[in-house]
Amino acid sequence: MPSYVIVGASRGLGYEWLRQLSKDSSNTVIGLVRSVDQVQARLDADSISNVRILAGDMADSASLEKAALEVSNITQSIDYLIVNGAYISPKSARLNPSEFTGRAAELREEMVDSLEVNVVGVIYSVNAFLPLVRKGTVKKITVISSGMADTDMVVQHDIPGSIVYSSIKAATNMVVAKYAVELRGEGIVVLALSPGIVNTQEGLISEEEMKVLMVLIQKFQVFYPDFKGPITAAESVAAQKNVIEGITLEQTGSFLSHKGNKEWL
Ligand SMILES: NC(=O)c1ccc[n+]([C@@H]2O[C@H](COP(=O)([O-])OP(=O)(O)OC[C@H]3O[C@@H](n4cnc5c(N)ncnc54)[C@H](OP(=O)(O)O)[C@@H]3O)[C@@H](O)[C@H]2O)c1
């Protein structure tokens, strides 16, 4: 009867984790979100009943500690902790580093907001739930990263954009490496996992976003001729789950794609 906590589970891939895990009634599935009522209403509408939703904001360590206390009353231990939530700013998503020239305050604000959730918030999340992971039998912590944080990929595939997101996610990977080294003696596996390029957009993609996406896709197709475009959240989570289940203590600290290697698409 494995137990899972998904941090940042309100929508997109986080919600898909809840949906897929809930299909096995022997799973204990707990999702942390910032908007409990909204997510509970969505679960009800989707007829998903075996998921517990708790309040948890990655930027607020006290809320995560409170959630961990509530979880300890539900399961006493956690097998899988998945830290999925992330600050993803639409404002700076496409910008190259030099495009922030003359926009110092905006750069700082974007960096700080991103750091607060994607780095500090990851540490808050892991620290809050670590005592429960220690008591689990599987002992696996996964932090959702991005192929955009792979420096070799950026250079080889010629991707100057998304400076804020990419550099902060690279820092997230270092957080994973540090936890991996700290915790391997306790048999705890820590993984940075990229979900692939996934269409998690709810509603229609705007014309402007579609143009940007097409440019990226054309760029990627040079390196990945089989790449046809974003995969679905369902495909991504199924693939991520395989990677998480297959990873061993010898691989702790790895930064892998949903394919279990360095193929990010
Ligand atoms: N989709 C892709 O192609 C792709 C590619 C590479 C990596 N990723 C990574 O995959 C993960 C999920 O991405 P996604 O596409 O599903 O993103 P998404 O649809 O934009 O969802 C982001 C999730 O993060 C949550 N979140 C943001 N700030 C939070 C906070 N302070 N506390 C708790 N939760 C917070 C959001 O909750 P609210 O509803 O409360 O805002 C939401 O559930 C992220 O780590 C992302 O960086 C995605």
Side-chain angles (χ1 to χ4, degrees):
M1 294 196 327
S3 49
Y4 297 81
V5 168
I6 314 296
V7 181
S10 68
R11 55 193 162 89
L13 288 163
Y15 187 83
E16 180 60 24
W17 270 109
L18 300 182
R19 204 187 63 78
Q20 287 198 20
L21 293 172
S22 72
K23 285 184 178 167
D24 184 341
S25 59
S26 70
N27 289 336
T28 300
V29 188
I30 298 163
L32 264 63
V33 304
R34 294 188 289 185
S35 45
V36 172
D37 292 348
Q38 211 177 308
V39 179
Q40 189 57 60
R42 184 173 177 188
L43 287 167
D44 294 344
D46 291 343
S47 303
I48 296 172
S49 55
N50 59 326
V51 171
R52 291 287 296 268
I53 291 296
L54 301 174
D57 182 338
M58 290 174 69
D60 174 3
S61 63
S63 78
L64 298 165
E65 283 156 22
K66 185 166 178 279
L69 193 65
E70 291 176 63
V71 171
S72 70
N73 292 322
I74 301 169
T75 77
Q76 291 89 47
S77 67
I78 297 172
D79 292 312
Y80 298 92
L81 172 66
I82 299 171
V83 185
N84 169 79
Y87 175 85
I88 307 164
S89 168
K91 271 194 292 177
S92 66
R94 296 182 264 285
L95 294 180
N96 300 347
S98 70
E99 288 172 333
F100 277 106
T101 307
R103 300 162 76 167
E106 190 188 338
L107 172 62
R108 186 175 188 285
E109 191 185 326
E110 288 291 316
M111 281 288 186
V112 170
D113 288 350
S114 191
L115 184 84
E116 190 176 30
V117 178
N118 304 353
V119 179
V120 181
V122 168
I123 300 175
Y124 286 164
S125 303
V126 175
N127 286 351
F129 287 98
L130 189 53
L132 290 170
V133 172
R134 284 188 167 120
K135 289 183 193 162
T137 47
V138 176
K139 298 187 200 308
K140 289 190 176 175
I141 298 173
T142 303
V143 177
I144 305 305
S145 183
S146 167
M148 295 290 271
D150 178 9
T151 51
D152 290 341
M153 196 275 287
V154 165
V155 174
Q156 286 159 16
H157 297 193
D158 187 26
I159 302 168
S162 293
I163 173 62
V164 175
Y165 180 73
S166 300
S167 54
I168 295 289
K169 283 283 192 183
T172 312
N173 290 350
M174 183 54 77
V175 169
V176 166
K178 295 289 181 183
Y179 271 120
V181 171
E182 187 184 1
L183 300 176
R184 66 181 157 203
E186 297 181 54
I188 298 173
V189 181
V190 192
L191 168 70
L193 181 60
S194 169
I197 294 194
V198 192
N199 183 4
T200 50
Q201 183 103 12
E202 296 183 7
L204 290 173
I205 299 183
S206 71
E207 217 173 288
E208 170 68 9
E209 282 168 330
M210 185 50 90
K211 264 192 224 158
V212 174
L213 195 62
M214 287 315 293
V215 170
L216 256 185
I217 288 174
Q218 278 159 13
K219 210 170 227 187
F220 285 138
Q221 272 169 337
V222 176
F223 300 94
Y224 299 92
D226 295 336
F227 178 67
K228 298 284 180 282
I231 56 175
T232 64
E235 288 169 325
S236 171
V237 168
Q240 290 181 59
K241 194 163 175 286
N242 269 339
V243 176
I244 294 171
E245 282 170 359
I247 194 157
T248 62
L249 191 56
E250 287 64 44
Q251 295 167 283
T252 192
S254 297
F255 170 34
L256 299 175
S257 76
H258 60 303
K259 295 182 174 174
N261 53 29
K262 298 281 181 191
E263 242 182 81
W264 306 115
L265 303 179

